[in-house]
C-alpha cells in the first residue's frame, strides 16, 4: 500500500491545527500545575511528540506498552502489560495520550489501572474516537476527531506495524 493509493480521511494540516487546539485547552485546564503525560505505545508516539511540544506547562513523560490479544484490526479487550511506567504516579496529574478509542476496552483497562495507583487525577486525550464501536462507557476528556467506523493508518497508527510514518490519516480499504 502506498499513501498515494489511500483515501485521506484527515490531512496533515487538519491534524496539526487540532493538536495545537488540544494543547491550548490542556495548558489552560492545568494552569499552575505539573503534568505527567503517559503515551500508549506504539500508536501514540507521533501524536504525543507533537502534543507535548505545544503544551506550555512543566511536563514529564512516560510510556506504557500494552498488548491486546485481538487480531491486527480488532481488539479483544484482553490486555497484557508489556512495558509499565518507570515511576510511581501517586499525587500526580496524569494525562493518558492514546491514538484512537475504538471499543474503549484498552483505555478503560489502563485508566482503571492508573487510578488504582492514587494519582491526583487521571484524564484521557485521544486523537481519534470511533464511538460507534464502543463496548464500555468511556469518553475521552480531550478528543481530536470523531470518525466513522473505518480502519485508519498514518500519524502513528499502523496496519501490521506499517504505515505509521504517513503524514495524513488514511482509510484502509475493507478488503486490504
Ligand atoms: P480498543 O480497545 O479501544 O478497541 O482499541 C484501541 C486500540 O486498537 C488502539 O490503540 C489501536 O491500537 C487499535 N485500533 C483501533 N482502531 C484502529 C484503527 O482504525 N486503526 C489502527 N491502526 N488501530 C486501531
Amino acid at each position: 500500500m502506498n499513501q498515494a493509493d489511500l483515501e485521506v480521511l484527515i490531512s496533515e494540516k487538519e491534524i496539526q491545527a487540532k493538536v495545537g487546539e488540544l494543547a491550548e485547552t490542556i495548558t489552560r485546564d492545568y494552569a499552575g500545575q505539573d503534568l505527567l503525560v503517559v503515551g500508549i505505545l506504539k500508536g501514540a508516539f507521533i501524536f504525543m511528540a507533537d502534543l507535548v511540544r505545544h503544551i506550555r506547562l512543566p511536563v514529564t513523560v512516560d510510556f506504557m506498552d500494552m498488548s491486546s490479544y485481538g487480531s491486527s484490526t480488532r481488539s479483544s479487550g484482553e490486555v497484557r502489560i508489556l512495558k509499565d511506567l518507570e515511576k510511581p504516579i501517586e499525587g500526580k496529574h496524569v494525562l493518558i495520550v492514546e491514538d484512537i478509542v475504538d471499543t474503549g476496552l484498552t483505555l478503560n483497562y489502563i485508566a482503571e489501572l492508573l487510578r488504582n495507583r492514587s494519582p491526583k487525577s487521571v484524564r484521557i486525550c485521544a486523537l481519534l474516537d470511533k464511538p460507534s464501536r464502543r463496548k464500555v462507557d468511556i469518553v475521552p476528556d480531550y478528543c481530536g476527531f470523531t470518525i466513522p467506523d473505518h480502519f485508519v493508518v498514518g500519524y502513528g497508527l499502523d496496519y501490521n506495524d506499517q504505515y505509521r510514518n504517513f503524514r495524513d490519516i488514511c482509510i484502509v480499504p475493507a478488503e486490504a
Side-chain angles (χ1 to χ4, degrees):
M1 258 181 344
N2 290 312
Q3 181 161 5
D5 302 329
L6 297 179
E7 183 189 338
V8 173
L9 181 65
I10 308 167
S11 69
E12 177 181 13
K13 200 170 160 202
E14 292 172 289
I15 297 168
Q16 290 306 325
K18 185 64 77 176
V19 171
E21 280 172 32
L22 288 170
E24 280 288 317
T25 309
I26 291 165
T27 301
R28 249 197 333 266
D29 288 359
Y30 290 93
Q33 328 241 37
D34 293 2
L35 186 60
L36 170 63
V37 181
V38 172
I40 309 303
L41 295 171
K42 301 175 192 167
F45 83 109
I46 293 179
F47 174 42
M48 175 156 157
D50 282 346
L51 186 71
V52 294
R53 282 181 289 177
H54 285 92
I55 294 177
R56 287 169 287 107
L57 296 167
V59 157
T60 50
V61 300
D62 206 342
F63 295 92
M64 292 188 83
D65 193 3
M66 320 294 293
S67 98
S68 154
Y69 291 93
S71 70
S72 60
T73 58
R74 292 289 180 237
S75 165
S76 69
E78 287 179 68
V79 176
R80 187 162 49 106
I81 300 176
L82 298 178
K83 185 211 171 298
D84 205 339
L85 299 177
E86 284 177 5
K87 293 190 181 153
I89 58 170
E90 197 176 338
K92 297 192 173 176
H93 288 295
V94 176
L95 181 66
I96 303 171
V97 174
E98 174 67 305
D99 52 359
I100 184 165
V101 193
D102 186 16
T103 64
L105 293 165
T106 310
L107 259 184
N108 195 45
Y109 180 92
I110 295 171
E112 275 311 299
L113 188 80
L114 298 190
R115 285 197 176 103
N116 284 331
R117 297 180 183 179
S118 309
K120 208 180 269 178
S121 68
V122 175
R123 286 189 187 156
I124 293 166
C125 177
L127 179 66
L128 305 174
D129 190 7
K130 271 201 271 194
S132 58
R133 289 182 20 91
R134 199 69 100 251
K135 287 191 181 155
V136 287
D137 186 19
I138 189 163
V139 180
D141 302 277
Y142 305 97
C143 174
F145 303 92
T146 300
I147 63 166
D149 184 16
H150 295 299
F151 192 82
V152 293
V153 294
Y155 197 65
L157 290 112
D158 75 308
Y159 177 65
N160 285 339
D161 233 6
Q162 293 190 68
Y163 318 116
R164 295 189 196 274
N165 56 327
F166 288 3
R167 302 176 76 101
D168 305 310
I169 292 174
C170 302
I171 298 174
V172 177
E175 68 276 10

